[in-house]
Amino acid sequence: MRKSHKIDEHTIGEKMEPFAFKGRHIIDTADLSNDEIMHLVKVCDEIQAMGDDKARTLCKGKILATLFWEPSTRTRLSFEAAMYRLGGNVLGFSEAKSSSVSKGETLADTIKTVSLYADIIAMRHPMEGSALAASQYSEVPVINGGDGPHLHPTQTLGDIYTLIKEKGRLEGLKMGFLGDLLFGRTVHTLVRVLARFGVELHFFSPEGLNIPAYVRSDLEAKGAVFTEQEGLGGRLAELDALYVTRLQKERFFSEEEYLRKKNSYVVDRETLTRAKDDVLVLHPLPRNEEIHPNVDGLPNAGYFRQATYGMQMRMSLISTCLGVKA
Amino acid sequence: MTMRIERINNGIVLDHIKAGMGIHILKLFEVELLHTKIDYASYIDSPSLGMKDIIKIENLDVDPKMLMKMALLAPDITISFIRDGHVDKKVKPEVPPLVEGVINCPNPKCITQQEVYLTSRFQVAFEEDGRLRQQCLFCEHIFYS
Ligand SMILES: [Zn+2]
C-alpha cells in the first residue's frame, strides 16, 4: 500500500535502469529503488573526485531555497553548505515566525511563489505529508528535509553513504541500533532501507521503547534478519556498526527508571573494549549523554564524518535533481 | 423480519448498513436533515449481515460524492431512491481503490488538515476480516471503518 507514483523496489532487481533524477522530487526513500540509491552514492563519489574547485562550478548561477517552517539548524546548514560547495546560491527562512506563514499564508502559496524564485527547494515542515503536498504545487524539485515525525529521506541517504564509505559494503553488515527506537524516526526509515540491502539488524532498547509494530511487520514482510533485546549485552561483539540514538529522560516511566537504565544505553571507551576493534559508532546528532565524549577521539567515532557524508549526499541530490549531473 | 419503520413516498432508503453505523451515516448530513422526517432502525436482524441498520429519509436526494462517503462507512450499503411510492432506482456504490476528495484525514498532524484546498487522497482496500482499510496518501496514516 504505497503511493501510486512509487516504484516498487523489488521489481527493479539487477537490471540497471536509466536514471531520471532531473526535475524529480525527493519525498520518501521508498520512492527510490536500490539501483537509484546506488546511483546517488556513485554521484557523491564523482563530485568528491572532481575536487573542490571543479565541484563549485556545477551549480553556478542556480538558487536553492531552504524553507524551514520548523527550526532545524543542523539540517538547514547541511543543505546550505552543500549548495555553496556546488557553487550555487541560497535563500530562504529558518522558522515560521519570521516568514509570511505567520501572516497566514498557505503552504501552496509559499511554494508557488518560491518556485518562481528558486531552481530547487529543500524544506522542513511540522505537518505530515507536507513535502508531498508541496511537490504538487512546485514548478521545481522539492527535497524533503523532514515532514514532522513522518519522513526524513536525506538523513537516511546520508547514513547509507556513510556505511558504504566506512565499511565498504552494505550486504551482510551486522548493525546495532541502541536507545529509544520507538520515537526515533531516523531509525524507522533507515532500517527499512538497510533491510532492502541485506543488512542484519539488531535492536537494543529499553522495555516499552522498542521499534513500533508497523516497522517490525514491514521488516518481516521484507524477510529481514533482525533481533530485539534490552541493553547491549553479548551481541555487541558481533557488530560491524552501532547506531546510537538520543535517549530522552521524558520517554521513561520515571526518573528513577531512567537513572537505573541509562547506563545500559551509554557508549563510552569501556563499552567499546567489548566490541570489534573497527566497530563504527554512528549518531544522527545532536547527542545527549548517550555517547561519552571520551569516544570522540577514537577512529571508531563516525558521527562527525557522518555529518560530512550527509552533506555530500545532499550535494548529490541537489545536482542530480537539477540535472547538472546525470 | 419485523419492520419498525414506515413506508415513504418520496426520498431515500438506506439499507444493509452495518449495525451501529447508521448514526455515523446520519452525521454525514449537516443541514439537509432539518425539518425532515427520518426513520432510523438499528440492530435489525438481517440474513446477510447478521444485524443491520436501516434509515429512511423523506424528500432527500443524494449526489455521487455522498454515496461514496456512505459506502466508505458502510461498504454493504444499498440506496433506494423512492418516487411516488415506488423504487425509482436502487444503487450499491462500489468503493474504488483510490478515493479522492471525498473523506478527510483524521490525523490532526496531517497537512490536509491545514491546506484546505488540497484534495485528499486515500488508498482503500478490504482487509481479510472484511474491514475497510483507508490510508491517507499524504501522512500515510491508516484507519478503518
Ligand atoms: Zn493524512
Side-chain angles (χ1 to χ4, degrees):
Chain A
M1 291 290 278
R2 300 292 316 184
K3 289 163 200 138
S4 52
H5 65 271
K6 289 193 171 173
I7 294 160
D8 186 352
E9 67 245 27
H10 304 296
T11 60
I12 295 197
E14 259 91 89
K15 193 169 95 236
M16 288 295 277
E17 298 280 329
F19 299 104
F21 278 99
K22 188 178 179 180
R24 186 160 166 182
H25 308 291
I26 303 294
I27 308 300
D28 183 354
T29 45
D31 297 337
L32 297 166
S33 71
N34 287 8
D35 288 344
E36 285 174 322
I37 292 175
M38 292 316 290
H39 179 72
L40 291 169
V41 165
K42 191 177 117 226
V43 172
C44 285
D45 286 342
E46 285 171 4
I47 294 175
Q48 295 318 306
M50 288 170 82
D52 285 356
D53 288 349
K54 228 170 150 215
R56 270 179 226 272
T57 62
L58 278 174
C59 290
K60 203 157 178 260
K62 302 278 187 191
I63 298 174
L64 166 76
T66 51
L67 310 183
F68 278 57
W69 281 265
E70 185 177 68
S72 172
T73 312
R74 198 168 297 273
T75 304
R76 187 173 53 83
L77 292 184
S78 179
F79 272 113
E80 296 187 352
M83 191 52 165
Y84 285 125
R85 283 172 180 275
L86 292 166
N89 297 299
V90 176
L91 50 81
F93 54 83
S94 55
E95 52 183 327
K97 256 204 315 249
S98 63
S99 72
S100 52
V101 182
S102 60
K103 300 185 191 85
E105 186 172 72
T106 61
L107 174 69
D109 286 358
T110 306
I111 294 292
K112 281 178 191 164
T113 312
V114 171
S115 70
L116 299 173
Y117 302 148
D119 300 293
I120 187 165
I121 293 170
M123 63 175 279
R124 172 173 291 218
H125 191 284
M127 305 288 272
E128 298 171 31
S130 49
L132 179 63
S135 71
Q136 294 183 4
Y137 301 126
S138 180
E139 301 292 326
V140 301
V142 171
I143 301 180
N144 185 5
D147 56 338
H150 185 218
L151 303 164
H152 194 9
T154 61
Q155 172 80 44
T156 296
L157 293 169
D159 292 346
I160 300 260
Y161 186 49
T162 304
L163 284 168
I164 291 171
K165 293 304 277 185
E166 296 274 328
K167 289 288 160 191
R169 69 196 162 110
L170 292 174
E171 199 176 345
L173 277 185
K174 288 181 200 271
M175 185 146 175
F177 292 86
L178 180 71
D180 169 4
L181 304 182
L182 180 63
F183 295 97
R185 150 182 80 180
T186 316
V187 171
H188 302 164
T189 323
L190 179 59
V191 298
R192 284 185 283 174
V193 179
L194 291 176
R196 285 161 48 182
F197 283 97
V199 175
E200 245 187 70
L201 310 162
H202 302 284
F203 300 114
F204 309 96
S205 58
E207 202 188 341
L209 294 175
N210 323 65
I211 51 165
Y214 78 93
V215 174
R216 191 176 300 119
S217 57
D218 198 36
L219 290 176
E220 282 163 0
K222 286 189 164 82
V225 178
F226 68 99
T227 66
E228 290 182 73
Q229 56 226 282
E230 278 198 56
L232 261 181
R235 278 195 189 273
L236 174 59
E238 300 169 24
L239 302 177
D240 298 304
L242 178 62
Y243 202 101
V244 185
T245 63
R246 213 134 63 100
L247 205 57
Q248 287 165 290
K249 212 183 285 186
E250 46 296 355
R251 302 288 192 206
F252 283 82
F253 178 69
S254 63
E255 170 100 22
E256 196 187 10
E257 197 201 356
Y258 171 76
L259 291 172
R260 195 159 47 83
K261 292 198 169 158
K262 187 177 82 168
N263 283 336
S264 330
Y265 298 94
V266 170
V267 173
D268 56 16
R269 273 183 188 244
E270 193 279 319
T271 318
L272 295 183
T273 60
R274 293 181 277 122
K276 279 188 182 175
D277 285 346
D278 64 346
V279 67
L280 177 69
V281 181
L282 299 178
H283 191 295
L285 303 178
R287 66 176 151 177
N288 285 342
E289 300 170 66
E290 59 278 351
I291 299 179
H292 194 282
N294 70 18
V295 177
D296 295 1
L298 298 176
N300 311 73
Y303 32 94
F304 295 115
R305 298 195 293 277
Q306 188 182 0
T308 306
Y309 295 129
M311 178 192 70
Q312 292 172 352
M313 177 51 83
R314 290 179 178 101
M315 291 169 76
S316 171
L317 287 164
I318 292 169
S319 49
T320 50
C321 292
L322 280 175
V324 299
K325 197 88 184 62
Chain B
M1 185 170 81
T2 50
M3 274 307 255
R4 286 178 280 172
I5 47 183
E6 298 170 27
R7 290 180 67 88
I8 57 171
N9 275 326
N10 286 292
I12 55 172
V13 178
L14 311 174
D15 199 355
H16 305 103
I17 301 167
K18 196 168 112 191
M21 289 307 286
I23 188 74
H24 299 287
I25 300 275
L26 286 172
K27 281 183 189 160
L28 293 175
F29 298 96
E30 287 165 12
V31 293
E32 299 93 325
L33 301 185
L34 294 172
H35 314 293
T36 301
K37 185 174 165 188
I38 304 165
D39 282 337
Y40 173 31
S42 60
Y43 291 91
I44 295 176
D45 289 325
S46 155
S48 57
L49 296 174
M51 298 279 225
K52 67 174 182 180
D53 290 4
I54 296 181
I55 301 170
K56 297 190 181 188
I57 307 171
E58 273 201 334
N59 300 322
L60 185 80
D61 204 359
V62 287
D63 60 16
K65 188 173 166 180
M66 183 57 93
L67 290 180
M68 183 64 60
K69 285 187 184 179
M70 295 196 285
L72 287 167
L73 287 172
D76 296 301
I77 197 168
T78 56
I79 299 111
S80 301
F81 295 82
I82 313 293
R83 195 164 295 164
D84 302 325
H86 296 284
V87 177
D88 189 39
K89 64 177 174 180
K90 186 172 177 178
V91 296
K92 185 178 186 306
E94 288 289 322
V95 178
L98 184 69
V99 176
E100 293 187 276
V102 175
I103 40 175
N104 295 322
C105 181
N107 174 10
K109 295 216 68 183
C110 180
I111 188 65
T112 58
Q113 299 267 357
Q114 183 187 297
E115 291 283 307
V116 287
Y117 299 110
L118 202 59
T119 306
S120 74
R121 283 214 305 266
F122 285 86
Q123 207 154 32
V124 177
F126 286 99
E127 295 278 37
E128 277 170 21
D129 60 8
R131 290 187 305 163
L132 195 61
R133 180 188 200 268
Q134 294 153 71
Q135 183 173 32
C136 171
L137 290 185
F138 286 94
C139 70
E140 301 185 273
H141 189 93
I142 295 165
F143 65 103
Y144 294 91
S145 66

